Amino acid sequence: MSYHIVSIDAPEADLTCRNGQLVCSTKTGTRQLPLEDIAAIVITSFSARIHSHLFLESAKQGVALIICERFQPVSLLLPACRSTDTLLTRKHLTLSPAVRARLWNKTIDAKCANQLALARLIAPDSNATKNLERASRARSARKEGGCAKIFWEIFAEGLRIEGFARGRKLGGLNDLLNYGYAVLLSTVLQKLYGFGLDPTVGISHAIRERSSPLAYDLMEPFRPCVDWRVYQWIKDRSHEEAFAVTTEFRRWVTGFSLEQVDYLGLDLDIRGVIEGVVRGFRQSVLHETVRHYRPWMWKNSKWGGSS
């Protein structure tokens, strides 16, 4: 099985297969790639036409087709030979509690470190940022919640928003964050499906009806990317126009996925980093070890999108 994930995101695209090649034609030209080098094709194009021959040849090559609406995966087409990756699924379901705990600790360490990096941009000299630095280095079951409490205080104070509380249904600033997180979740789901991982089997988040715990788990270190885009959006606008989820805001916040950052010494956009993280997580599951899983931690001198 190959591990390249191809994203088709042009507004309009014609997809077919010729001589074992994926052929994608758009208004800007035609590109080809051998199907044997592809693990999955993610189609987020608003208007894509898919030739039946591509379905047939993709199935022969073991390539998954992931069709999205508003970037959210809504259909997963798998060839019969990939309907269940028995080894991966068994390993995933039977991971020991100790390995799950270590995977989750690495995830939270990265999330808290990234929150600290953002706090240093917002309020580098504040006592709250110093408190967050201490909290981010702690070894405690309450580490995530403790860091979040301090981080959101710094975030709201930087925007001069009084009485802010983080919650999915509390409105205002939360509406902007929720939209950005939904886009992030969709991106993580695309990669999970592409690598054959079941998003309903998480390492920390509880299983609920129609939920994707593993996607919620792995997206945690990337949340500050969305937070920073939202922060910049509000900082430059009046209170009246800042909190509406407009078309302009949607375009702005989704740009986080194209920001260039460092990951393991490579200069990648966030989408590429997510793919690398999911790839490593898959290897950790297969080998029942945490060493392959390397959550992204911000290390550059300049956060993407900053001036």
Side-chain angles (χ1 to χ4, degrees):
M1 173 182 171
S2 182
Y3 295 108
H4 293 297
I5 297 179
V6 177
S7 295
I8 308 296
D9 52 13
E12 296 183 1
D14 287 301
L15 302 173
T16 188
C17 178
R18 299 193 197 103
N19 301 318
Q21 301 272 325
L22 167 65
V23 181
C24 176
S25 299
T26 66
K27 291 182 178 180
T28 60
T30 298
R31 300 184 65 181
Q32 301 184 43
L33 188 68
L35 272 177
E36 64 181 3
D37 292 338
I38 300 173
I41 302 170
V42 180
I43 303 170
T44 59
S45 172
F46 296 113
S47 180
R49 290 169 289 276
I50 309 172
H51 196 282
S52 60
H53 191 53
L54 178 61
F55 289 103
L56 179 60
E57 293 302 318
S58 295
K60 290 180 179 179
Q61 294 288 344
V63 177
L65 292 175
I66 302 163
I67 301 175
C68 304
E69 181 181 44
R70 297 179 181 176
F71 302 99
Q72 184 79 17
V74 295
S75 176
L76 175 63
L77 288 80
L78 291 174
C81 63
R82 272 194 67 191
S83 59
T84 302
D85 188 334
T86 306
L87 177 61
L88 177 61
T89 300
R90 182 169 66 246
K91 293 283 190 180
H92 198 177
L93 289 171
T94 58
L95 273 180
S96 71
V99 172
R100 289 180 186 274
R102 291 200 296 273
L103 288 168
W104 181 240
N105 286 338
K106 290 184 76 169
T107 302
I108 291 306
D109 285 348
K111 177 185 180 180
C112 294
N114 290 341
Q115 287 179 325
L116 174 61
L118 181 48
R120 284 171 171 162
L121 285 178
I122 296 172
D125 301 318
S126 76
N127 288 330
T129 299
K130 295 175 183 177
N131 291 337
L132 180 57
E133 182 175 1
R134 287 191 290 270
S136 69
R137 295 175 179 172
R139 291 297 175 194
S140 167
R142 300 180 180 179
K143 175 176 177 175
E144 182 185 14
C147 286
K149 183 176 185 298
I150 301 171
F151 172 75
W152 289 119
E153 289 173 356
I154 296 170
F155 193 88
E157 185 174 339
L159 294 173
R160 299 182 180 178
I161 299 174
E162 296 183 0
F164 172 72
R166 174 72 190 119
R168 293 188 63 184
K169 300 180 179 179
L170 297 181
L173 171 58
N174 285 289
D175 289 342
L176 306 184
L177 292 167
N178 293 342
Y179 184 87
Y181 293 153
V183 176
L184 173 59
L185 175 64
S186 297
T187 305
V188 175
L189 278 170
Q190 292 171 20
K191 304 304 183 184
L192 289 174
Y193 284 130
F195 284 113
L197 285 159
D198 186 344
T200 65
V201 183
I203 53 176
S204 178
H205 281 83
I207 297 175
R208 300 190 305 273
E209 183 70 20
R210 301 178 68 84
S211 68
S212 306
L214 184 58
Y216 301 144
D217 290 334
L218 299 189
M219 69 184 275
E220 292 293 349
F222 296 97
R223 287 181 183 267
C225 299
V226 174
D227 301 337
W228 183 227
R229 298 289 286 192
V230 171
Y231 185 91
Q232 291 175 298
W233 175 264
I234 295 176
K235 191 74 172 176
D236 297 334
R237 286 165 176 77
S238 66
H239 183 85
E240 291 73 18
E241 67 173 343
F243 297 103
V245 183
T246 61
T247 299
E248 185 183 2
F249 168 75
R250 292 188 182 101
R251 283 197 296 265
W252 166 256
V253 77
T254 54
F256 80 86
S257 65
L258 301 178
E259 295 290 354
Q260 297 289 312
V261 297
D262 175 82
Y263 180 64
L264 305 181
L266 300 174
D267 189 28
L268 302 172
D269 62 31
I270 291 296
R271 291 184 304 181
V273 175
I274 292 173
E275 182 172 326
V277 169
V278 173
R279 187 195 305 269
F281 181 85
R282 184 181 189 275
Q283 289 298 106
S284 283
V285 168
L286 285 172
H287 296 284
E288 301 178 80
T289 177
V290 301
R291 68 185 181 90
H292 299 287
Y293 174 52
R294 299 177 181 179
W296 172 68
M297 296 177 65
W298 176 72
K299 296 180 181 179
N300 289 344
S301 60
K302 180 178 178 182
W303 189 290
S306 61
S307 57

